[in-house]
């Protein structure tokens, strides 16, 4: 739907200018920052992004100078949810980006990125600091019936609407991954109080903020030690990054019709590895091969990824039945499905085929093959070779550390011992080169987290040059338990968190009752 960052998005924007101004003034969108009314700054950004822009206000006479079409609330005094309802009912497009009229520093790149996350969702809402920004979010017209029902029941909180609709939450990790953590204080600023306004009316302070925005290119979370990029003028560095990103993005959009087959190549390897293990163990090779090929069949079922409460293994068994029924392999359906379900149902005894597929899946992610896939998968997700990637290697090292003890067959464990050593040697060598070339400074540390050995890639110092302290804990979730590692700077006091699902190892502490 977008050809490049210069093309407009096929969607609408609703600027909500209907606040009552109880904390500052009803005319706060007209307050000037750097010589321009706040609402004019908002309008300039969204008009460069969206094909349709609509002002939602009960005082349209105040904003005639903008030259925008407007709509008034169907029932004034019912808050922003009514504004969204009135705006969605008027626009021509099916989707609208909703923003407040008092957000003077909207970022075009972040808005476009939010739109690319929409997919089949009804709402996309960012959580830059763990809290929702419902007035910097996308809403589909499919939300209108639920909005009207909530308004009729005097349920005015947008959060209640998000609970009813199919909502994509853009958590802090999304901002970290895209290198935007240094921008969120500015981008999500609302002018609600006199203090807010005074902060931004000092033009010199605003210019300093602009420099900080550019400097975030080399002061990103997880960056370590002195960086050669600091020697460049921030504005020049920012333009280089922007240009490179735009060119690559334009190229990627040209391949929108490309057939993606990474899941197939992984499954084909797992099937063949499962066949090898079963043969070595003297078990049936044919169902093991088929189960390996089918084990991820439900991951992207019907073009979706974990968008409902049904486990992907449950979806995989449905595909197994539809594919193998009335074929010569029909006799294996029960055994294959039993194996697939046992991969996530902890209470079930894992069958022979389940053990083989479990081992094959993990062996495919170990050793040199595992390293190659680690970088290939991250590249597909737009994670490239940088400091954050080094930290993410903790996942690979921790799983490699436990693989020889957690795999379920003698053949699998023997293969894992060999490949586990290779994984450790590779990342050790990579980090040595990374340090020698002045790209960063890391160490590999084995940390005991509630009795589980985790092998962590740890930055020695913060981007400010001060030492980092490390805190670790376990976080409970529905499908796994995660190691949570927090890096705390002794100098600037910044905190950065990294988490990953832990392998299922013997001696793992029981789940906490408080979740």
């Amino acid at each position: 739907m977008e050809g490049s960052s210069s093309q407009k998005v096929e969607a609408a924007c609703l600027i909500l200018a209907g606040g009552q101004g109880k904390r500052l003034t009803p005319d706060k969108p007209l307050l000037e920052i750097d010589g321009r009314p706040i609402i004019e700054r908002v309008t300039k950004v969204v008009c460069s992004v969206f094909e349709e822009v609509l002002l939602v206000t009960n005082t349209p006479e105040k904003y005639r100078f903008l030259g925008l079409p407007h709509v008034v609330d169907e029932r004034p005094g019912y808050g922003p949810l009514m504004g969204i309802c009135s705006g969605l009912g008027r626009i021509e497009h099916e989707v609208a980006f909703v923003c407040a009229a008092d957000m003077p520093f909207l970022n075009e790149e972040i808005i476009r990125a939010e739109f690319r996350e929409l997919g089949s969702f009804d709402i996309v809402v960012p959580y830059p600091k763990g809290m929702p920004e419902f007035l910097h979010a996308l809403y589909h017209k499919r939300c209108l019936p639920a909005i009207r029902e909530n308004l009729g029941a005097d349920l005015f909180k947008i959060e209640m609407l998000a609970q009813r609709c199919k909502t994509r939450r853009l958590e802090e990790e999304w901002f970290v991954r895209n290198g935007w953590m240094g921008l969120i204080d500015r981008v999500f600023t609302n002018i609600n109080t006199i203090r807010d306004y005074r902060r931004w009316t000092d033009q010199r302070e605003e210019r300093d903020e602009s420099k900080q925005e550019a400097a975030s290119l080399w002061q990103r979370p997880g960056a370590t030690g002195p960086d050669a990029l600091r020697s460049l003028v921030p504005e020049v560095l920012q333009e280089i990054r922007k240009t490179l990103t735009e060119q690559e993005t334009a190229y990627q959009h040209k391949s929108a019709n490309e057939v993606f087959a990474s899941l197939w190549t992984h499954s084909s390897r797992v099937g063949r590895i499962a066949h090898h293990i079963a043969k070595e163990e003297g078990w049936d090779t044919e169902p093991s091969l088929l189960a390996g090929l089918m084990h991820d069949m439900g991951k992207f079922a019907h073009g979706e990824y974990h968008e409902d409460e049904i486990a992907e293994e449950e979806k995989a068994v449905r595909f197994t039945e539809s594919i193998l029924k009335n074929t010569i392999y029909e006799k294996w359906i029960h055994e294959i499905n039993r194996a697939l379900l046992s991969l996530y149902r902890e209470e079930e005894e894992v069958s022979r085929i389940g053990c083989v597929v479990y081992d094959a899946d993990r062996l495919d992610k170990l050793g040199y093959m595992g390293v190659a896939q680690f970088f290939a998968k991250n590249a597909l997700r737009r994670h490239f070779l940088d400091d954050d990637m080094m930290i993410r290697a903790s996942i690979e090292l921790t799983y490699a550390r436990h693989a020889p003890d957690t795999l379920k067959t003698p053949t699998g464990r023997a293969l894992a011992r060999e490949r586990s050593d290779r994984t450790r040697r590779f990342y050790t060598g990579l980090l040595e080169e990374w340090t020698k070339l002045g790209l960063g400074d890391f160490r590999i540390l084995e940390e005991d987290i509630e009795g589980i050995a985790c092998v962590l890639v740890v930055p020695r110092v913060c981007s400010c040059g001060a030492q980092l302290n490390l805190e670790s804990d376990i976080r409970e979730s529905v499908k796994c338990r995660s190691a949570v590692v927090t890096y705390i700077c002794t100098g600037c006091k910044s905190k950065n968190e990294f988490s990953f699902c832990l392998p299922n190892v013997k001696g793992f502490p029981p789940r906490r009752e408080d979740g």
Side-chain angles (χ1 to χ4, degrees):
M1 300 177 76
E2 286 183 90
S4 73
S5 62
S6 63
Q7 291 182 323
K8 292 190 177 183
V9 171
E10 296 175 9
C13 174
L14 303 177
I15 304 174
L16 301 192
Q20 299 178 25
K22 294 179 180 178
R23 286 179 284 183
L24 185 55
T25 165
D27 296 331
K28 62 180 179 176
L30 298 175
L31 295 173
E32 292 188 356
I33 290 181
D34 199 21
R36 281 190 300 156
I38 296 172
I39 194 169
E40 184 180 325
R41 298 168 67 97
V42 172
T43 300
K44 181 179 179 181
V45 174
V46 298
C47 283
S48 70
V49 177
F50 297 99
E51 292 184 345
E52 180 184 6
V53 177
L54 185 67
L55 185 66
V56 183
T57 178
N58 296 317
T59 55
E61 65 279 359
K62 295 180 180 179
Y63 307 113
R64 285 199 185 102
F65 69 96
L66 296 171
L68 293 177
H70 74 274
V71 62
V72 298
D73 284 341
E74 295 174 10
R75 287 181 288 167
Y78 281 73
L81 186 62
M82 177 57 73
I84 296 172
C85 180
S86 303
L88 286 179
R90 173 69 71 87
I91 59 173
E92 296 179 2
H93 289 80
E94 292 299 306
V95 177
F97 174 75
V98 175
C99 64
D102 61 351
M103 301 182 76
F105 306 113
L106 293 177
N107 182 287
E108 178 177 336
E109 184 181 4
I110 292 177
I111 294 171
R112 288 179 179 275
E114 283 186 27
F115 180 77
R116 289 194 291 270
E117 297 287 341
L118 183 63
S120 62
F121 289 97
D122 300 323
I123 299 173
V124 176
V125 57
Y127 282 66
K129 289 186 175 181
M131 298 295 291
E133 293 284 350
F134 289 117
L135 297 188
H136 191 292
L138 289 152
Y139 298 83
H140 197 283
K141 279 188 174 181
R142 288 190 297 265
C143 298
L144 275 171
I147 293 175
R148 290 182 175 124
E149 286 181 16
N150 280 15
L151 288 170
D154 292 337
L155 302 175
F156 304 130
K157 290 186 177 180
I158 304 178
E159 187 171 4
M160 294 181 179
L161 172 70
Q163 291 170 359
R164 294 187 59 184
C165 297
K166 190 177 181 182
T167 300
R168 169 82 164 99
R169 295 169 48 137
L170 303 178
E171 304 283 3
E172 186 174 306
E173 189 274 335
W174 184 79
F175 289 89
V176 172
R177 186 171 72 244
N178 286 287
W180 292 328
M181 284 302 293
L183 308 182
I184 59 176
D185 284 340
R186 179 179 171 87
V187 169
F188 292 96
T189 290
N190 291 88
I191 305 300
N192 289 319
T193 65
I194 289 292
R195 184 175 182 181
D196 292 337
Y197 181 56
R198 285 176 177 170
R199 178 188 177 196
W200 299 108
T201 50
D202 185 336
Q203 293 184 15
R204 178 182 56 79
E205 185 173 349
E206 183 173 8
R207 287 196 297 271
D208 289 343
E209 284 289 329
S210 180
K211 291 179 181 178
Q212 289 175 17
E213 180 174 326
S216 70
L217 298 175
W218 40 259
Q219 286 184 329
R220 61 195 182 284
T224 57
D227 193 325
L229 297 181
R230 290 173 180 268
S231 64
L232 296 178
V233 175
E235 289 80 4
V236 174
L237 181 61
Q238 187 178 36
E239 186 63 23
I240 292 170
R241 177 201 179 197
K242 178 183 176 183
T243 303
L244 287 170
T245 302
E246 286 181 351
Q247 303 315 304
E248 183 179 359
T249 300
Y251 169 79
Q252 293 291 351
H253 280 303
K254 292 178 182 177
S255 61
N257 294 324
E258 178 185 349
V259 175
F260 293 91
S262 62
L263 196 61
W264 156 247
T265 57
H266 164 66
S267 298
S268 68
R269 291 192 303 271
V270 171
R272 285 175 283 177
I273 297 170
H275 183 280
H276 172 78
I277 295 173
K279 184 177 180 181
E280 291 295 310
E281 295 293 327
W283 298 341
D284 289 321
T285 56
E286 190 172 74
S288 298
L289 171 61
L290 287 167
L293 293 174
M294 298 281 189
H295 81 287
D296 267 347
M297 190 68 72
K299 186 175 290 292
F300 299 119
H302 313 298
E304 298 180 345
Y305 180 69
H306 293 176
E307 296 178 13
D308 54 33
E309 299 300 319
I310 303 174
E312 63 185 61
E313 292 83 1
E314 297 278 0
K315 296 176 182 179
V317 302
R318 298 175 188 173
F319 283 108
T320 300
E321 291 173 357
S322 64
I323 292 172
L324 300 185
K325 192 173 182 180
N326 299 322
T327 72
I328 61 173
Y329 306 114
E330 185 173 23
K331 62 183 177 180
W332 295 118
I333 290 177
H334 175 74
E335 286 300 317
I336 291 172
N337 284 349
R338 179 186 167 207
L340 297 181
L341 292 174
S342 71
L343 295 176
Y344 89 100
R345 291 179 178 172
E346 295 181 1
E347 70 279 4
E348 289 193 7
E349 181 180 350
V350 183
S351 65
R352 281 185 173 183
I353 299 174
C355 290
V356 167
V357 174
Y358 180 93
D359 286 8
D361 188 33
R362 278 143 188 82
L363 286 168
D364 187 50
K365 300 166 186 172
L366 278 178
Y368 299 142
M369 288 200 312
V371 168
Q373 290 177 80
F374 172 72
F375 289 103
K377 286 174 66 175
N378 277 282
L380 285 172
R381 297 169 182 170
R382 302 299 185 262
H383 300 158
F384 303 108
L385 197 58
D386 58 10
D387 287 336
D388 293 330
M389 180 76 83
M390 298 299 107
I391 293 174
R392 292 180 67 82
S394 303
I395 305 170
E396 307 302 300
L397 287 166
T398 298
Y399 275 76
R401 161 71 170 77
H402 292 285
D405 301 320
T406 56
L407 297 199
K408 301 181 182 298
T409 67
T411 301
R413 289 190 290 272
L415 291 169
R417 281 191 290 274
E418 182 181 300
R419 283 154 179 75
S420 178
D421 291 339
R422 291 175 183 172
T423 300
R424 181 68 177 250
R425 285 199 302 271
F426 173 85
Y427 286 108
T428 299
L430 174 63
L431 291 172
E432 287 176 357
E433 288 187 2
W434 197 255
T435 300
K436 286 181 180 179
L437 293 173
L439 301 176
D441 191 4
F442 293 88
R443 58 189 171 126
I444 296 177
L445 173 70
E446 188 160 310
E447 178 83 359
D448 185 285
I449 303 181
E450 294 204 15
I452 303 302
C454 294
V455 184
L456 306 175
V457 178
V458 180
R460 294 180 187 272
V461 293
C462 177
S463 58
C464 73
Q467 294 294 312
L468 290 171
N469 290 333
L470 181 150
E471 294 181 357
S472 59
D473 196 4
I474 285 179
R475 177 183 296 158
E476 307 285 355
S477 62
V478 175
K479 197 164 184 178
C480 73
R481 278 169 280 186
S482 299
V484 182
V485 183
T486 305
Y487 305 100
I488 306 171
C489 179
T490 58
C492 66
K493 308 302 180 183
S494 64
K495 291 185 178 182
N496 290 299
E497 183 182 287
F498 171 65
S499 64
F500 59 93
C501 288
L502 286 164
N504 190 15
V505 302
K506 293 178 180 178
F508 202 84
R511 286 186 179 273
R512 299 169 181 170
E513 292 298 324
D514 59 3

